[in-house]
Amino acid sequence: MELHEENAFKIRGYQSAIISIEREGKPLANLELDELQKIPSVGKSIAEAILSIIASGSHALLDKHLEETPKGILEVMQIKGLGPKKIKTLWKELNITSVHELMEACQSGQVAKIKGFGQKTQDSIVLALEYKASNQGKWLYAEIELPAKEILAHLSESLPEATVALVGDFEMEAEIIESLTFLIGSDNSRQTITEINNIDGLIQDINVLSPYRWEGHLARPEVKILITIVPKKEFIKQKLLKSASKAHLLSPTEKGQPLGELFYKATFNTEEAAYEAAGLPFIPAPLREGTGELEWVKTHSLDELLTLEDLKGPLHNHSTYSDGKNTLKEMSEFCQSEGYGYFGIADHSRSAFYANGLDEDRIHQQHKEIDSINESLAPFRVFKGIESDILTDGSLDYSDEVLATFDYIVASVHSGLSMDINKATARLLKAIENPYTTILGHPTGRLLLRREGYPIDHRAVIDACAINKVVIEINANPWRLDLDWRWVRYAMDQGVMLSINPDAHEKAGIAHMKFGVIAGRKGGLTKEMTLNTKNGEELASYFENRKRKKQ
């Protein structure tokens, strides 16, 4: 609608309706016209559009605009930093109707010459296009988890005489997956290939045929599939070699022999036996990254690593007070029903006007409701938090008097993401030094496969958190997983605690805690160094003591 310059009032009407529908959170499929119109901001025309979507999957206004829009423009609309007005200018002035044409126009310098663009905008478009191209065919672990396990089940069922396992990036629980890799132990590779081709949904690439390797993709989602067939006696050896980084395999054993060489030259019945032969405790695939895990397991037990069951509650969540879909009470009751002992609310602060951030009056209203909920749900507890925006100068967007009313503060960056590393780091350092900052939220602001995080000096940020006793969040949203697991061990070595938080905007989002645990464990996160393994009483004391010391 913005691209085709619809009436601004009409556009705002649709935007308001969308916000109301998301907040209501109720299924629309079985509602009649009059019931739809009872939803705030949903008038007759929008209700009719909803009914049309239910009946046909589309509606008249959308169909009209799609007919008027070149298909390539829809792809251009996904480029970070390009709004409808700029896209229309590119379309009308340079006749750009695809990302390919956009890249060519940038490379020839035509985009920079357009009024309102300039060299900086052109450069940012090129970076966004290159980032998008580099991520083609890649998937988030969370997106591909269910299909991966379904394929594994189909392969195991179709090949009862064989041994089947997931290996590669998925088995190592990498945050981004380029292909699903399977290993099959079978002494009849020809028959195995035939059985694989009989599985619905697996499409073989006929240009890459081999008696010991199957390549192709899943029909939906279209993820690349690689299947290697080895003799049964080689299965454990190949599983070890295909589920570890090169750095891990090159790590020397006590006798100086590289770990991978030991695995390759010997035959083992189990993975545990292979590590025992190397003089090591068993190391699970997700930890085989060559980041110090061989030294760690010599002095620690795998039982020290964090598990999902260790977490007592999530501390970064949103409700309908800001941009969440469920009410504060609904989120609290859901967490209680899931077995958690507490729930931390951290709705957006006032600077996040786009997310209905809370002003002081609404903070007071929310705190009164929290007191009421705590009385009715005791001993379950709701902690009073806020996700306070870190402004461009590093300050938080409330006065000290307001910040003091919360149990804890999650300080996060949501704007001004184009700073260089020095400015971005200085901004975080100032926020970390604020005595009211309890948790540093999603430190780089990254969105995996969508946008890179802003550049920061991780060591300087973590060191500052150590000095100021600030916890760092591992944002468990599968698109974020920020702090990156590669910095977890350094943070713990400096004495910095971490907190696994789902950044949930609805009840279903609480389940994302699982992906934060996966990321944390991959970096070696222990129960002891995780803030929200504390029970409700311990956490209340932690917050209170910290506030008292800081004040």
Side-chain angles (χ1 to χ4, degrees):
M1 289 170 72
E2 292 175 315
L3 181 70
H4 291 282
E5 297 180 342
E6 279 276 3
N7 179 281
F9 179 77
K10 194 172 184 180
I11 292 170
R12 282 198 298 273
Y14 268 84
Q15 290 170 335
S16 298
I18 289 165
I19 292 168
S20 293
I21 289 166
E22 289 181 338
R23 283 186 182 166
E24 289 286 314
K26 65 173 68 170
L28 307 182
N30 298 315
L31 299 184
E32 301 293 337
L33 183 67
D34 60 333
E35 294 174 306
L36 288 167
Q37 288 179 257
K38 291 178 182 177
I39 299 173
S41 302
V42 175
K44 185 179 180 182
S45 63
I46 293 179
E48 288 173 344
I50 293 169
L51 291 176
S52 177
I53 291 168
I54 293 167
S56 66
S58 187
H59 63 99
L61 183 59
L62 177 59
D63 292 339
K64 171 180 175 289
H65 288 319
L66 286 174
E67 286 175 10
E68 298 167 345
T69 309
K71 287 186 178 179
I73 289 291
L74 299 178
E75 194 174 357
V76 174
M77 289 173 73
Q78 297 174 21
I79 302 299
K80 175 181 172 283
L82 280 181
K85 289 183 179 178
K86 276 189 164 60
I87 292 171
K88 183 153 189 174
T89 300
L90 292 167
W91 175 17
K92 299 302 181 183
E93 292 194 21
L94 296 182
N95 197 29
I96 289 172
T97 58
S98 69
V99 291
H100 174 71
E101 291 170 347
L102 178 57
M103 178 60 93
E104 286 186 339
C106 287
Q107 290 172 337
S108 65
Q110 295 179 66
V111 172
K113 296 175 184 177
I114 302 173
K115 184 179 179 181
F117 282 76
Q119 188 64 43
K120 189 175 180 180
T121 299
Q122 179 175 278
D123 291 344
S124 67
I125 292 171
V126 170
L127 287 174
L129 289 170
E130 289 175 344
Y131 187 71
K132 180 178 173 64
S134 70
N135 288 315
Q136 288 295 321
K138 296 180 182 179
W139 301 84
L140 297 183
Y141 177 91
E143 290 180 303
I144 220 70
E145 182 184 27
L146 182 58
K149 292 179 178 178
E150 287 178 344
I151 297 168
L152 180 64
H154 289 317
L155 287 170
S156 300
E157 185 179 344
S158 301
L159 302 164
E161 302 301 318
T163 309
V164 184
L166 270 159
V167 292
D169 287 346
F170 186 86
E171 179 66 3
M172 294 174 69
E173 296 182 340
E175 61 270 41
I176 296 173
I177 309 295
E178 294 192 43
S179 63
L180 290 176
T181 309
F182 297 84
L183 182 68
I184 297 178
S186 170
D187 295 326
N188 188 343
S189 63
R190 187 181 297 275
Q191 180 61 31
T192 299
I193 292 287
T194 299
E195 292 296 338
I196 293 170
N197 282 322
N198 287 333
I199 297 175
D200 289 339
L202 291 184
I203 301 170
Q204 187 176 22
D205 183 352
I206 59 174
N207 295 315
V208 189
L209 297 177
S210 164
Y212 302 107
R213 185 178 173 89
W214 187 99
E215 292 190 32
H217 65 273
L218 187 62
R220 189 174 181 184
E222 197 171 327
V223 59
K224 188 176 181 181
I225 307 291
L226 303 175
I227 304 173
T228 302
I229 303 163
V230 299
K232 287 185 178 180
K233 66 179 183 179
E234 299 286 314
F235 181 80
I236 293 297
K237 173 193 299 185
Q238 291 299 323
K239 189 170 187 293
L240 287 163
L241 294 173
K242 292 180 182 296
S243 297
S245 72
K246 288 182 181 179
H248 179 81
L249 295 174
L250 289 171
S251 300
T253 63
E254 291 179 347
K255 296 179 180 179
Q257 182 185 26
L259 198 57
E261 184 180 314
L262 172 68
F263 292 162
Y264 183 75
K265 289 185 175 179
T267 299
F268 305 100
N269 292 323
T270 65
E271 293 179 77
E272 287 80 0
Y275 280 97
E276 186 178 347
L280 293 165
F282 172 66
I283 300 175
L287 272 64
R288 299 172 193 165
E289 289 286 357
T291 55
E293 63 275 8
L294 268 65
E295 292 73 25
W296 188 88
V297 296
K298 290 175 183 177
T299 55
H300 295 80
S301 164
L302 293 176
D303 291 338
E304 294 176 44
L305 292 174
L306 179 71
T307 68
L308 183 61
E309 291 70 31
D310 294 323
L311 297 177
K312 302 300 189 292
L315 293 172
H316 180 175
N317 308 281
H318 300 270
S319 72
T320 51
Y321 271 97
S322 63
D323 59 344
K325 293 185 180 180
N326 293 107
T327 65
L328 179 56
K329 186 177 182 183
E330 288 170 342
M331 294 289 281
S332 304
E333 289 176 341
F334 178 78
C335 281
Q336 185 184 45
S337 72
E338 290 292 293
Y340 289 115
Y342 51 81
F343 169 74
I345 187 65
D347 273 312
H348 284 287
S349 59
R350 63 183 179 185
S351 293
F353 56 88
Y354 51 85
N356 194 32
L358 278 67
D359 58 23
E360 284 83 346
D361 288 341
R362 293 175 61 233
I363 289 170
H364 181 67
Q365 178 187 346
Q366 186 183 71
H367 286 183
K368 284 184 65 177
E369 183 176 351
I370 290 172
D371 291 339
S372 175
I373 291 172
N374 282 339
E375 191 174 330
S376 62
L377 296 184
F380 183 88
R381 176 164 179 173
V382 180
F383 286 103
K384 299 169 182 175
I386 195 78
E387 185 179 20
S388 183
D389 264 28
I390 300 174
L391 304 178
T392 53
D393 66 353
S395 59
L396 303 186
D397 63 342
Y398 290 117
S399 66
D400 288 354
E401 290 75 20
V402 174
L403 293 172
T405 65
F406 295 97
D407 294 319
Y408 68 102
I409 307 294
V410 178
S412 305
V413 169
H414 292 107
S415 59
L417 307 183
S418 59
M419 291 182 177
D420 63 31
I421 187 169
N422 294 325
K423 289 182 179 178
T425 301
R427 179 187 191 180
L428 289 187
L429 296 183
K430 183 175 178 181
I432 291 165
E433 291 166 0
N434 188 306
Y436 291 98
T437 297
T438 319
I439 300 172
L440 178 62
H442 46 72
T444 74
R446 74 181 186 182
L447 291 176
L448 295 168
L449 302 182
R450 292 180 179 176
R451 75 174 182 221
E452 291 187 277
Y454 41 86
I456 63 169
D457 182 334
H458 277 82
R459 288 181 184 273
V461 168
I462 292 169
D463 292 347
C465 287
I467 293 168
N468 293 279
K469 303 299 181 187
V470 169
V471 176
I472 299 179
E473 171 182 86
I474 296 181
N475 191 296
N477 184 306
W479 290 101
R480 290 192 183 275
L481 300 179
D482 183 19
L483 179 77
D484 189 293
W485 64 265
R486 294 161 184 83
W487 288 100
V488 166
R489 189 168 281 122
Y490 180 78
M492 292 193 299
D493 288 345
Q494 307 315 307
V496 176
M497 295 192 77
L498 294 107
S499 180
I500 305 293
N501 292 324
D503 200 352
H505 286 68
E506 59 182 318
K507 291 187 290 186
I510 299 295
H512 288 161
M513 296 274 272
K514 162 187 171 181
F515 302 112
V517 171
I518 288 172
R521 283 176 63 91
K522 194 165 177 61
L525 181 58
T526 61
K527 305 167 188 178
E528 182 185 9
M529 293 302 292
T530 306
L531 177 67
N532 43 339
T533 58
K534 297 179 184 293
N535 64 35
E537 289 184 6
E538 291 169 338
L539 191 62
S541 295
Y542 174 88
F543 287 150
E544 188 58 38
N545 291 337
R546 189 183 185 285
K547 283 176 65 176
R548 189 183 301 116
K549 287 178 182 178
K550 288 290 183 178
Q551 290 169 5

